[in-house]
Amino acid sequence: MKIRIEWYYQLPKGKMTSFMKSEFMLLKEVLLLSDDLEKSGRLKSIEYYDEDDRSWTKKELIKLSKIHETEPQDVRIYVDGGFDKKSKLAGLGIVIYFTQHKKNWRIRRNEQIEYIADNNEAELAAMHLALQILEEEEVRHQTITFYSDSQVAVNQASGEWPSYEDHYNLC
């Protein structure tokens, strides 16, 4: 999960208060910055926001960081799908990289499936399988980065492009 902070800061000698806004940062970085700002003695107020623009208190973030210590972090997923017109079979390939307990991990999975109409649907099926794996690994409260060689699948899955084919719509 990435968080940004907004704070009001009083300049030295009490002259003026200015408003600052950070970029999105990892939770542990935000808590370190917040502690540093508080130690300065010039912090007037601070607010925390996640990527969905939900507001958090520092107490909630500290509690969440303790939960995060045991969960996978920095999750990156590489997916690929292939389709053979002749046999009507699809192959799905997934590699998931993440950090957990200060160690780097990798999960690889390959599957062959039937009842796929084309290569784009195979790419979407690979993304769906990756999400199922994340569910099994109990990945929560994380920003996930997907990598795929299919611009169609990525843009349709993110909602940037419309999907006119019914078999591409998972919902």
Side-chain angles (χ1 to χ4, degrees):
M1 170 185 261
K2 292 192 178 179
I3 304 288
R4 70 176 166 80
I5 58 175
E6 296 178 2
W7 70 95
Y8 285 94
Y9 189 82
Q10 185 168 338
L11 296 175
K13 300 181 183 176
K15 295 277 182 177
M16 175 176 42
T17 302
S18 55
F19 173 73
M20 307 291 258
K21 183 176 177 179
S22 76
E23 297 293 322
F24 283 102
M25 300 181 288
L26 295 175
L27 180 56
K28 63 183 176 184
E29 294 169 340
V30 166
L31 291 173
L32 284 172
L33 178 60
S34 173
D35 288 344
D36 191 54
L37 287 169
E38 288 171 354
K39 287 178 188 174
S40 74
R42 292 186 227 128
L43 183 67
K44 291 298 178 188
S45 68
I46 190 166
E47 297 170 5
Y48 306 87
Y49 296 95
D50 65 16
E51 292 167 304
D52 294 324
D53 215 29
R54 287 183 296 230
S55 178
W56 294 76
T57 65
K58 185 172 182 182
K59 186 176 181 179
E60 291 170 329
L61 291 176
I62 291 170
K63 185 176 180 182
L64 183 61
S65 73
K66 297 207 183 309
I67 294 169
H68 266 224
E69 289 174 359
T70 60
E71 288 185 3
Q73 304 286 317
D74 188 28
V75 181
R76 297 167 321 279
I77 301 173
Y78 295 82
V79 297
D80 198 12
F83 177 72
D84 181 41
K85 289 181 185 179
K86 195 173 193 178
S87 67
K88 302 283 187 196
L89 294 174
L92 311 179
I94 292 99
V95 181
I96 302 173
Y97 294 98
F98 61 93
T99 305
Q100 188 174 24
H101 303 293
K102 299 181 183 177
K103 292 184 181 178
N104 295 324
W105 298 91
R106 177 184 68 195
I107 298 172
R108 294 185 302 175
R109 180 98 44 101
N110 295 309
E111 287 194 15
Q112 183 176 336
I113 59 174
E114 300 175 329
Y115 309 112
I116 296 289
D118 56 33
N119 193 64
N120 288 330
E121 189 176 7
E123 296 280 350
L124 289 168
M127 289 180 183
H128 187 260
L129 177 61
L131 292 173
Q132 289 174 328
I133 294 168
L134 292 179
E135 179 99 13
E136 292 169 10
E137 295 296 320
E138 298 182 2
V139 175
R140 297 182 189 94
H141 312 296
Q142 298 295 321
T143 299
I144 310 298
T145 305
F146 271 88
Y147 297 94
S148 172
D149 63 352
S150 173
Q151 189 175 12
V152 171
V154 169
N155 288 325
Q156 286 182 340
S158 69
E160 289 184 38
W161 290 2
S163 176
Y164 298 111
E165 296 84 1
D166 287 336
H167 63 276
Y168 288 174
N169 297 318
L170 300 174
C171 300

